[in-house]
Amino acid sequence: MLTEKEIWILAGRFSARSITELSIEDMQAIADETGISLKAVEWYALDKQIQPLRYRRNLGTLGFDGQKKLLESTIIVCGLGGLGGHIIEQCARAGTGTIIGADHDVFDATNLNRQILSAIDTLGEKKVEEAKKRIEKINPAVDFKDYHGKFADIEDSDWENADIVFDCLDNIAGRIVLGEKCTSHNLPMIHGAIAGWCGQVAIVWPASSILETIYKGQETGIETETGTPPFTAAAAASIMTANAIKILAGKETEKKEQILFFDLFENDWQTINL
Amino acid sequence: MLLEIRLFATFRHRRFKTKQMELPVGFLLGNLLKKLDISIKNVGILLVNGKHSDKETRLIDGDVVAIFPVVGGG
């Protein structure tokens, strides 16, 4: 995260007074004065047990080490619609260091019910562009790289640098191909899918057969009848983000072959071992 | 033989959540789906006693069958 020279500069800057917390303004001032990136300044502060205020409400859950690991992390989010929009929102707020987002689409009126990046004034705009603007607004320490295209367009170097991939696609064929891609790069994938009141989330570890098991021979799900309402998208996205952050922050080490299926109408949550 | 059938999500509409069913020993899971008027193309997770199974599975007394729809939206 930091070169020896940067550590020396920051050590000088931080030793001037006893600091226990850093405001948004303080961090920006240090970054501006030293020419060191905001993300690196945050990381250094966390390393010295200094709380960046923007992460204070994370620290009781993630700890200084977990927050540092999250800042060092790179995620790929495939699909920036109902699931992906909420995921980049949460990951940026949580302090995920680098987010790579891919979506070939622009917003239309049918997205407004659930896609958090869509609004009347963003109809017709590229989803990746709105994602970029949103992340800059929420947390400028986060690096965002956008691909206005399919996930197949993402460069090899980005797959190699990634720690985790989010499957936020809206079609089964694409999900299967993405799963294979993640296995080929030895990356865990967070799968999420929704239909009506129901959703499912799984951590798909490399070489796992979960997707083949649940989607064998299928082309579409019941979402063609039930649609995809806002609360289900937000719920699935939250579970996906929590599962990813557990791994990124070094809290989850057990590799379970599990899928969570939830039904918000019945308030029924089933954890299924596959 | 007596089976317990558990349906999830939209499969409950006009059917049931949980039901005990009496069927001949060795009844095929695929035939149970037909009996319930559930198309295999709509079935995602299909469990017998918590283990993923397919339509060729032969059921035995006391089996608990859980049927979930395919969910693919985003």
Side-chain angles (χ1 to χ4, degrees):
Chain A
M1 183 68 76
L2 286 157
T3 65
E4 274 185 36
K5 190 184 172 195
E6 287 172 334
I7 290 170
W8 183 77
I9 292 169
L10 288 174
R13 184 66 178 70
F14 278 70
S15 67
R17 58 199 160 102
S18 165
I19 310 169
T20 56
E21 61 183 40
L22 280 174
S23 68
I24 296 285
E25 295 78 15
D26 289 337
M27 282 190 300
Q28 192 60 57
I30 294 168
D32 291 345
E33 283 165 27
T34 60
I36 297 168
S37 75
L38 197 51
K39 179 163 61 179
V41 173
E42 288 180 356
W43 186 93
Y44 183 85
L46 290 162
D47 192 55
K48 301 299 168 204
Q49 308 277 302
I50 297 164
Q51 294 186 1
L53 285 180
R54 68 168 310 125
Y55 301 131
R56 173 171 282 178
R57 297 289 187 266
N58 285 352
L59 291 173
T61 303
L62 302 180
F64 284 95
D65 281 345
Q67 187 71 60
K68 269 167 60 189
K69 284 182 185 152
L70 193 56
L71 272 181
E72 293 162 9
S73 301
T74 298
I75 61 168
I76 295 179
V77 183
C78 299
L80 299 174
L83 298 170
H86 281 287
I87 285 166
I88 63 156
E89 174 91 12
Q90 292 183 22
C91 286
R93 288 185 190 278
T96 309
T98 305
I99 300 175
I100 296 162
D103 200 302
H104 68 286
D105 219 350
V106 296
F107 286 113
D108 70 41
T110 66
N111 302 150
L112 286 168
N113 80 318
R114 70 193 184 288
Q115 301 193 13
I116 197 169
L117 295 167
S118 67
I120 296 289
D121 63 355
T122 64
L123 296 180
E125 300 294 333
K126 290 175 187 168
K127 294 184 179 182
V128 285
E129 279 301 315
E130 295 311 309
K132 191 187 183 75
K133 285 185 206 162
R134 184 67 184 162
I135 290 171
E136 277 169 9
K137 226 171 168 178
I138 297 170
N139 190 350
V142 174
D143 291 315
F144 182 65
K145 184 170 181 183
D146 63 283
Y147 282 92
H148 179 60
K150 306 264 184 184
F151 67 80
D153 299 331
I154 297 173
E155 290 167 10
D156 277 348
S157 58
D158 286 330
W159 292 105
E160 279 151 26
N161 291 330
D163 298 294
I164 224 161
V165 177
F166 284 90
D167 164 20
C168 305
L169 301 173
D170 60 0
N171 69 92
I172 291 171
R175 293 176 185 281
I176 303 278
V177 177
L178 180 58
E180 289 164 357
K181 183 87 178 165
C182 290
T183 289
S184 73
H185 287 279
N186 202 30
L187 286 168
M189 181 178 96
I190 310 293
H191 161 77
I194 57 170
W197 302 92
C198 300
Q200 62 189 31
V201 173
I203 302 174
V204 182
W205 297 100
S208 161
S209 57
I210 281 185
L211 290 187
E212 287 76 4
T213 302
I214 59 175
Y215 286 139
K216 193 179 180 186
Q218 314 290 15
E219 288 171 8
T220 57
I222 55 167
E223 66 280 357
T224 52
E225 296 163 39
T226 61
T228 41
F231 38 82
T232 315
S238 294
I239 300 163
M240 292 170 77
T241 306
N243 276 288
I245 288 181
K246 272 192 292 193
I247 298 168
L248 297 172
K251 308 273 181 200
E252 174 71 289
T253 49
E254 204 183 335
K255 295 185 177 180
K256 297 174 191 158
E257 286 284 297
Q258 260 179 5
I259 187 161
L260 169 72
F261 189 97
F262 65 84
D263 180 336
L264 298 176
F265 189 81
E266 303 279 356
N267 283 325
D268 184 21
W269 300 72
Q270 299 280 329
T271 302
I272 300 155
N273 292 306
L274 290 171
Chain B
M1 65 172 178
L2 193 62
L3 303 174
E4 183 175 315
I5 317 299
R6 297 176 185 170
L7 302 182
F8 290 87
T10 47
F11 289 156
R12 290 176 178 178
H13 297 171
R14 294 182 294 279
R15 293 187 191 91
F16 53 86
K17 280 188 195 179
T18 303
K19 193 176 179 179
Q20 308 281 325
M21 285 179 86
E22 186 73 46
L23 288 167
V25 175
F27 203 71
L28 278 177
L29 190 46
N31 289 338
L32 174 64
L33 294 175
K34 279 183 197 154
K35 197 174 173 62
L36 294 169
D37 194 26
I38 292 174
S39 166
I40 189 73
K41 76 176 178 61
N42 292 328
V43 176
I45 301 163
L46 182 58
L47 305 175
V48 177
N49 305 325
K51 281 193 70 178
H52 201 272
S53 305
D54 60 29
K55 62 185 169 95
E56 304 307 325
T57 304
R58 289 193 180 276
L59 300 165
I60 59 168
D61 189 44
D63 277 349
V64 177
V65 180
I67 311 169
F68 296 76
V70 181
V71 170

